Amino acid sequence: MIGRVIKFYNSFFFAQVEKKILPCKLRGLMKRDKKIGSAVFPGDFVEISELTDGAGVIEKVLPRRSFLNRPAVANVDRIILTFAAASPNLNRLLLNKFITLAEFSALGGIIICVNKIDLIDDAKNFLSEYESLYKIVRVSTLTGEGISELEKILRSGATVFAGPSGVGKSSLMNKIIPELNLKVGKVSEKILRGKHTTRISELIEFGEGFVVDTPGFSAVDLADAGIDKKNLRSCFKEFSAFAQDCKFLNTCTHTHEPNCKVKAAVEEGKILRGRYESYLSMFKELEK
């Protein structure tokens, strides 16, 4: 039968099969191939053989349509990059690094969530220059603005939240799913008694979809994620329409080459200068 892994701790994978949750172990052959826990991740669809005691054995991992390696979760439909409008102020380079990681991970559904918009005056236009590239949702856990729009998004597919610390991700999730805080506390209490306690991601049912409850991350190491100077450019989707006309079509890095149409598009205002400057900063970082 086919199930979906929703969490992993204490050496067990917990897979949802229809409305039932099965604790599962890996088939011995899979264990010998890879270290336990490295071949299967939350979000994976797997083939399972059910045992007589109600547990199961994972026989095979089905092909993934997307994979985010930090936090490690498979088959995510969208990622909500959560940043604050103020306190802390939005760091555009960091925002673009998160976007780059999401693009590299083949997460086609990228949404930028701007929290704490109650702290600024021009909330409706904040980050409006990005609206031609990505969907922007502006919210406030204090006033409740935008919460219903975000809640509607979460009710289908699998959604993972990511963003730097201090932007209110936990408060935002708990505002939408009040029971989440209790659930997190309960799980944490259990895994602290287990052996595999370093990192755990969990898919939590919400409506017809799942919200990925994860330890999250506050920094982005591009090289660690597998991004290098050659594939960085493909993570900036607005480059593609112009890159095909560059003089050095397949090798243009869009940094110093002559007749680079991406650089020309920046000068003509067709590509956001701030995005391009972030690209140059990341490119330089990857050269080290």
Side-chain angles (χ1 to χ4, degrees):
M1 53 191 172
I2 304 298
R4 187 173 197 178
V5 177
I6 61 170
K7 58 186 172 183
F8 166 67
Y9 62 84
N10 286 353
S11 300
F12 276 93
F13 296 89
F14 291 80
Q16 183 179 60
V17 181
E18 296 180 348
K19 294 298 180 181
K20 183 167 58 175
I21 303 296
L22 290 181
C24 300
K25 289 281 191 175
L26 294 181
R27 175 64 67 191
L29 181 61
M30 294 183 69
K31 287 184 183 180
R32 289 194 292 274
D33 280 345
K34 293 184 178 181
K35 182 180 177 182
I36 184 169
S38 64
V40 184
F41 296 93
D44 271 328
F45 290 97
V46 293
E47 289 184 2
I48 301 169
S49 295
E50 188 172 8
L51 303 177
T52 55
D53 61 359
V57 176
I58 294 176
E59 306 282 357
K60 180 182 178 182
V61 179
L62 301 182
R64 299 173 179 131
R65 63 175 182 270
S66 67
F67 182 74
L68 185 66
N69 74 341
R70 188 179 179 188
V73 59
N75 301 311
V76 172
D77 296 290
R78 70 183 66 87
I79 183 169
I80 295 183
L81 303 177
T82 311
F83 282 74
S87 187
N89 293 331
L90 190 146
N91 181 323
R92 279 170 167 73
L93 174 58
L94 187 58
L95 169 61
N96 286 318
K97 281 189 172 184
F98 274 84
I99 292 173
T100 299
L101 178 61
E103 290 282 8
F104 182 73
S105 302
L107 300 178
I110 299 174
I111 297 173
I112 300 173
C113 176
V114 183
N115 193 17
K116 304 184 184 181
I117 59 168
D118 54 283
L119 298 180
I120 59 174
D121 296 327
D122 194 15
K124 290 184 178 179
N125 294 317
F126 189 84
L127 217 63
S128 60
E129 68 271 23
Y130 278 68
E131 287 183 320
S132 63
L133 298 171
Y134 301 101
K135 181 177 177 61
I136 310 291
V137 179
R138 300 171 181 87
V139 303
S140 168
T141 54
L142 184 64
T143 67
E145 185 172 349
I147 297 297
S148 60
E149 180 183 2
L150 189 59
E151 181 180 338
K152 185 177 180 180
I153 293 170
L154 299 180
R155 286 189 174 276
S156 64
T159 305
V160 62
F161 280 80
S165 57
V167 300
K169 292 190 302 295
S170 297
S171 298
L172 192 57
M173 292 177 71
N174 286 328
K175 180 81 172 181
I176 297 171
I177 314 174
E179 64 272 22
L180 180 62
N181 191 42
L182 294 174
K183 191 175 185 69
V184 170
K186 184 178 180 181
V187 171
S188 298
E189 195 175 307
K190 286 186 177 180
I191 65 173
L192 284 173
R193 296 197 299 268
K195 295 180 180 179
H196 302 279
T197 61
T198 52
R199 294 186 65 79
I200 175 174
S201 294
E202 179 178 355
L203 275 66
I204 297 173
E205 279 192 277
F206 184 65
E208 298 298 317
F210 291 94
V211 176
V212 182
D213 173 30
T214 167
F217 56 103
S218 58
V220 179
D221 189 324
L222 300 176
D224 185 57
I227 300 173
D228 57 31
K229 291 188 298 180
K230 292 181 180 179
N231 57 33
L232 175 64
R233 59 193 175 196
S234 65
C235 298
F236 284 71
K237 64 181 184 180
E238 65 268 42
F239 288 6
S240 61
F242 306 99
Q244 59 189 355
D245 295 321
C246 287
K247 180 179 180 180
F248 302 101
L249 176 60
N250 296 319
T251 59
C252 188
T253 65
H254 315 311
T255 59
H256 65 280
E257 295 85 353
N259 296 323
C260 172
K261 298 303 181 182
V262 169
K263 290 193 297 180
V266 174
E267 295 303 320
E268 294 167 7
K270 296 176 180 178
I271 290 177
L272 293 175
R273 185 172 295 275
R275 283 272 293 167
Y276 179 68
E277 289 175 351
S278 289
Y279 169 79
L280 292 179
S281 178
M282 288 182 241
F283 188 90
K284 186 176 181 180
E285 179 183 320
L286 291 169
E287 283 186 312
K288 296 177 181 179

